[in-house]
Amino acid sequence: MTLVLTVATPAYALHVSDRLVSKGGAPHDPLANKTVVFRTADGLLALGYTGPAYIGGMPTDTWIAEAVSGAACAGDAGEGRRLGTFPVRDVGTTLSFLCQRLRSDNQFRSLVGEISAVGWQWDGKRECALVRQVLWVLHRGSGELRWQQIVPRHIPERKKVFRMVVTGDWPLGGEAWRRLLDQVGAAGPDVESVESVLVDAIREASALRSGTIGSHCMSVRLRPWQSPHALIRFLPNKAHQAEALGQVMEVAYSPWMVAPDAIHPPAVHIGGWTCSQGLLTYEMNSPPIPEYQRLKGAFQTQVRRSA
């Protein structure tokens, strides 16, 4: 299980998740990715999943990246980003395709898997089309697996309200959820404050479910009308370190980034980096680099743990 919190407002779209994969109720991979950032001709979404950590022996986030991109993403360990033309569908077709594939997956069904999709959508056939916030949740509800659109489509109401959902395990109870809703609502457009309270909530939940909910978080903020379109922050509970060039240094991590013209796999990086190429631009935050550190910037595809 895991915990994903997603918020859609007229001012911002925000996805925050933990990064722990568990097996048999115990930690299996503390640095697994639960996130795919996805750009189409008519939308920009952050997808987060709960349920099985692997589908068909493949990490679930990689499986999702393959499904939404229409291209093989697993590759060999260490394979870097790929540029080209990929058969990425529009948002509606993609979400429908994901639903159809997961309906037939026994493991996803038995582990009560869910997917959230938060971000923005517009008319891909029109210039200067209206951009509207969207929030979907793929869950079983009272019947067959299906998508539920959480944000109202009526324009006046959509401009006045925010919507927030929890995907996965929420062990803190109804009162804590209402308090969290109040905090998010009171913050208004202050997305930094909202990010902070969501991270705190995940860590509070992790203290109760440390075997299945992690305390290291990934945050994705989406803004299609600005560049970079996505702001990615790795928010660990404590510093993560790696050795390079004989030095131990702090590192950060990034999720899958999928667009019609590029696919970027999860990476470990130093110094942060910004990609300004193509249809999806993004900025990765990293810890500050000390003056004495010789390596000022680097990134490498993250090696994934097998099932």
Side-chain angles (χ1 to χ4, degrees):
M1 193 52 75
T2 191
L3 179 55
V4 181
L5 299 174
T6 49
V7 185
T9 82
Y12 64 85
L14 181 65
H15 157 107
V16 180
S17 71
D18 81 305
R19 281 169 54 81
L20 173 67
V21 159
S22 57
K23 210 172 187 179
H28 174 66
D29 185 355
L31 291 175
N33 291 284
K34 304 293 181 67
T35 305
V36 176
V37 179
F38 177 48
R39 168 71 154 88
T40 73
D42 68 339
L44 176 63
L45 302 175
L47 305 174
Y49 76 88
T50 67
Y54 299 87
I55 296 179
M58 185 185 303
T60 300
D61 65 308
T62 302
W63 185 94
I64 292 173
E66 286 201 355
V68 300
S69 68
C73 290
D76 299 325
E79 183 179 349
R81 69 178 184 176
R82 292 192 291 157
L83 306 179
T85 302
F86 303 100
V88 173
R89 307 165 185 85
D90 60 77
V91 167
T93 303
T94 299
L95 296 184
S96 177
F97 179 71
L98 263 180
C99 182
Q100 291 171 15
R101 289 195 61 181
L102 290 171
R103 280 178 179 175
S104 61
D105 186 270
N106 292 329
Q107 191 176 17
F108 193 81
R109 182 168 56 250
S110 65
L111 293 177
V112 197
E114 295 182 332
I115 296 178
S116 64
V118 66
W120 306 92
Q121 191 175 12
W122 54 88
D123 186 344
K125 298 179 181 179
R126 296 175 54 191
E127 293 186 9
C128 302
L130 174 70
V131 178
R132 61 185 180 91
Q133 73 269 29
V134 290
L135 174 57
W136 286 282
V137 179
L138 179 67
H139 60 75
R140 211 160 305 279
S142 58
E144 191 176 34
L145 190 69
R146 67 180 68 250
W147 287 103
Q148 179 185 4
Q149 166 64 289
I150 307 298
V151 176
R153 295 185 65 90
H154 181 58
I155 291 177
E157 185 180 0
R158 195 173 69 237
K159 290 182 178 179
K160 297 177 181 179
V161 302
F162 77 91
R163 291 290 187 269
M164 181 170 73
V165 297
V166 56
T167 309
D169 190 13
W170 177 260
L172 303 177
E175 183 177 347
W177 179 250
R178 288 188 290 272
R179 184 168 62 250
L180 186 61
L181 283 171
D182 289 341
Q183 289 176 301
V184 172
D190 185 356
V191 64
E192 287 83 7
S193 295
V194 173
E195 179 188 75
S196 179
V197 299
L198 296 189
V199 170
D200 288 346
I202 289 176
R203 289 182 180 154
E204 187 178 353
S206 174
L208 297 177
R209 299 278 197 277
S210 59
T212 56
I213 300 174
S215 60
H216 308 309
C217 298
M218 180 69 72
S219 168
V220 177
R221 190 188 317 169
L222 300 177
R223 43 185 212 170
W225 58 90
Q226 299 180 54
S227 184
H229 304 133
L231 300 176
I232 315 296
R233 302 217 313 146
F234 172 60
L235 302 167
N237 195 27
K238 60 180 180 180
H240 284 243
Q241 296 181 325
E243 185 174 344
L245 301 179
Q247 284 187 296
V248 175
M249 55 198 74
E250 281 193 61
V251 299
Y253 299 87
S254 64
W256 277 103
M257 316 291 291
V258 175
D261 57 346
I263 298 175
H264 298 232
V268 53
H269 55 96
I270 296 167
W273 53 299
T274 299
C275 175
S276 57
Q277 169 271 325
L279 294 173
L280 176 59
T281 64
Y282 51 88
E283 178 181 322
M284 308 290 190
N285 286 5
S286 283
I289 298 176
E291 288 294 330
Y292 62 81
Q293 185 171 302
R294 287 178 291 168
L295 186 61
K296 301 302 182 182
F299 76 95
Q300 175 181 311
T301 302
Q302 185 180 353
V303 177
R304 311 302 298 279
R305 186 168 180 177
S306 57

